[in-house]
Amino acid sequence: MNKAELIRRISSYAGLTQKEAGKALTAFQESVVKQLAGGEHITLVGFGSMSVVERKERVGRNPRTGDTLVIPARKAVKFKPGVKLHEAVNAE
């Protein structure tokens, strides 16, 4: 599913126009980015939680040449799915 398809789904589920659904999705995305960039933790009960974690500098290997290289420290976004999402994905 791409962004346009998601906007159509939100529009039909929420009874909004596609323009309103697009604005809502954009507002959600911008809010999440702003909060995570500020180091905040986001929890959406049933869906999951997102947080920023620090990755340490480490030594890696170029698979093509076999040469070792240093992978610099960085921040990464961590997502932990909520119970409802986990159960929905694993339902048979």
Side-chain angles (χ1 to χ4, degrees), residues 45-87:
V45 177
F47 183 72
S49 61
M50 294 171 263
S51 61
V52 176
V53 294
E54 297 280 337
R55 300 276 171 114
K56 295 180 182 177
E57 183 177 276
R58 60 191 173 96
V59 177
R61 186 179 63 84
N62 181 333
R64 184 174 291 171
T65 63
D67 295 340
T68 59
L69 55 119
V70 175
I71 300 170
R74 65 182 179 93
K75 293 179 182 178
V77 176
K78 177 183 173 184
F79 177 76
K80 182 179 179 188
V83 173
K84 288 182 183 178
L85 177 60
H86 181 74
E87 289 173 354

Side-chain angles (χ1 to χ4, degrees), residues 6 26 35:
L6 181 57
T26 299
Q35 292 301 305

Side-chain angles (χ1 to χ4, degrees), residues 18-50:
Q18 286 191 17
K19 187 174 183 178
E20 291 169 335
K23 284 183 180 180
L25 180 59
T26 299
F28 173 76
Q29 289 174 320
E30 290 175 0
S31 297
V32 168
V33 168
K34 185 176 181 179
Q35 292 301 305
L36 290 175
E40 297 290 324
H41 182 86
I42 299 172
T43 301
L44 302 172
V45 177
F47 183 72
S49 61
M50 294 171 263

